[in-house]
Short mmCIF file of all heavy atoms in Angstrom, two decimals:
data_model
loop_
_atom_site.label_atom_id
_atom_site.label_comp_id
_atom_site.label_asym_id
_atom_site.label_seq_id
_atom_site.Cartn_x
_atom_site.Cartn_y
_atom_site.Cartn_z
N GLN A 32 98.88 150.59 78.07
CA GLN A 32 99.26 149.20 78.33
C GLN A 32 100.77 149.13 78.46
O GLN A 32 101.45 150.09 78.13
CB GLN A 32 98.82 148.29 77.17
CG GLN A 32 97.39 148.47 76.74
CD GLN A 32 96.40 147.75 77.67
OE1 GLN A 32 96.80 147.12 78.64
NE2 GLN A 32 95.11 147.87 77.35
N ALA A 203 104.18 163.22 92.99
CA ALA A 203 103.79 163.96 94.19
C ALA A 203 103.43 165.38 93.77
O ALA A 203 103.77 165.79 92.66
CB ALA A 203 104.96 163.99 95.16
N PHE A 265 112.78 164.55 80.74
CA PHE A 265 113.13 164.45 79.32
C PHE A 265 112.22 165.40 78.55
O PHE A 265 111.02 165.15 78.39
CB PHE A 265 112.88 163.02 78.79
CG PHE A 265 113.92 162.02 79.23
CD1 PHE A 265 114.15 161.79 80.58
CD2 PHE A 265 114.66 161.31 78.30
CE1 PHE A 265 115.11 160.87 80.99
CE2 PHE A 265 115.61 160.38 78.70
CZ PHE A 265 115.84 160.17 80.05
N ALA A 365 122.11 187.19 60.54
CA ALA A 365 123.18 187.42 59.57
C ALA A 365 123.61 186.11 58.92
O ALA A 365 124.58 186.07 58.16
CB ALA A 365 124.37 188.06 60.28
N GLY A 452 116.73 190.40 58.77
CA GLY A 452 117.99 191.15 58.84
C GLY A 452 117.96 192.21 59.92
O GLY A 452 116.89 192.67 60.33
N PRO A 488 112.97 200.95 53.79
CA PRO A 488 113.29 201.50 55.12
C PRO A 488 112.25 201.09 56.17
O PRO A 488 111.05 201.06 55.89
CB PRO A 488 113.25 203.02 54.90
CG PRO A 488 113.41 203.21 53.44
CD PRO A 488 112.82 202.00 52.78
N PRO A 545 115.66 196.94 67.81
CA PRO A 545 116.67 195.88 67.62
C PRO A 545 117.55 196.16 66.40
O PRO A 545 117.40 195.54 65.34
CB PRO A 545 115.82 194.62 67.42
CG PRO A 545 114.53 195.12 66.82
CD PRO A 545 114.32 196.52 67.36
N TRP A 571 125.39 201.30 80.93
CA TRP A 571 126.00 199.99 80.67
C TRP A 571 126.50 199.93 79.22
O TRP A 571 127.60 199.47 78.94
CB TRP A 571 124.97 198.88 80.91
CG TRP A 571 125.43 197.53 80.45
CD1 TRP A 571 126.30 196.71 81.11
CD2 TRP A 571 125.06 196.86 79.24
NE1 TRP A 571 126.50 195.56 80.37
CE2 TRP A 571 125.74 195.63 79.21
CE3 TRP A 571 124.23 197.18 78.17
CZ2 TRP A 571 125.62 194.71 78.17
CZ3 TRP A 571 124.10 196.28 77.13
CH2 TRP A 571 124.79 195.05 77.13
N GLN A 703 144.37 183.86 95.95
CA GLN A 703 143.06 183.99 95.32
C GLN A 703 142.45 182.61 95.04
O GLN A 703 141.24 182.42 95.13
CB GLN A 703 143.13 184.84 94.04
CG GLN A 703 143.71 186.23 94.27
CD GLN A 703 143.00 187.02 95.38
OE1 GLN A 703 141.91 186.67 95.82
NE2 GLN A 703 143.67 188.07 95.87
N SER A 720 128.62 178.36 95.14
CA SER A 720 129.39 177.13 94.98
C SER A 720 129.72 176.90 93.50
O SER A 720 130.86 176.61 93.14
CB SER A 720 128.56 176.02 95.63
OG SER A 720 128.73 174.83 95.00
N LYS A 748 125.46 163.79 93.00
CA LYS A 748 125.17 162.87 91.89
C LYS A 748 123.71 162.44 91.79
O LYS A 748 123.28 161.98 90.74
CB LYS A 748 126.10 161.65 91.92
CG LYS A 748 125.97 160.79 93.12
CD LYS A 748 127.00 159.68 93.01
CE LYS A 748 126.70 158.62 94.03
NZ LYS A 748 127.52 157.44 93.78
N VAL A 754 124.06 167.97 88.33
CA VAL A 754 125.04 167.23 87.53
C VAL A 754 125.13 167.83 86.12
O VAL A 754 126.21 167.92 85.53
CB VAL A 754 124.68 165.72 87.49
CG1 VAL A 754 125.57 164.98 86.51
CG2 VAL A 754 124.80 165.12 88.89
N SER A 798 130.18 173.06 72.17
CA SER A 798 130.18 173.70 70.85
C SER A 798 129.77 175.17 70.90
O SER A 798 130.14 175.94 70.02
CB SER A 798 129.25 172.93 69.90
OG SER A 798 127.93 172.97 70.38
N ASP A 818 129.60 164.26 64.30
CA ASP A 818 129.32 162.87 64.70
C ASP A 818 128.07 162.81 65.60
O ASP A 818 127.23 161.92 65.45
CB ASP A 818 130.51 162.28 65.48
CG ASP A 818 131.69 161.95 64.56
OD1 ASP A 818 131.48 161.82 63.34
OD2 ASP A 818 132.83 161.82 65.09
N ARG A 843 131.57 183.13 58.64
CA ARG A 843 132.13 184.20 59.46
C ARG A 843 133.59 183.94 59.87
O ARG A 843 134.21 184.77 60.50
CB ARG A 843 131.28 184.37 60.73
CG ARG A 843 129.80 184.56 60.51
CD ARG A 843 129.45 185.92 59.94
NE ARG A 843 129.93 187.03 60.77
CZ ARG A 843 129.23 187.56 61.78
NH1 ARG A 843 128.03 187.10 62.05
NH2 ARG A 843 129.72 188.56 62.49
N GLY A 863 123.18 159.79 55.11
CA GLY A 863 122.07 158.85 55.01
C GLY A 863 120.78 159.62 55.04
O GLY A 863 120.75 160.81 54.76
#
Side-chain angles (χ1 to χ4, degrees):
Q32 311 281 0
F265 285 58
W571 170 78
Q703 303 307 345
S720 148
K748 62 183 193 169
V754 172
S798 63
D818 286 341
R843 307 288 303 272

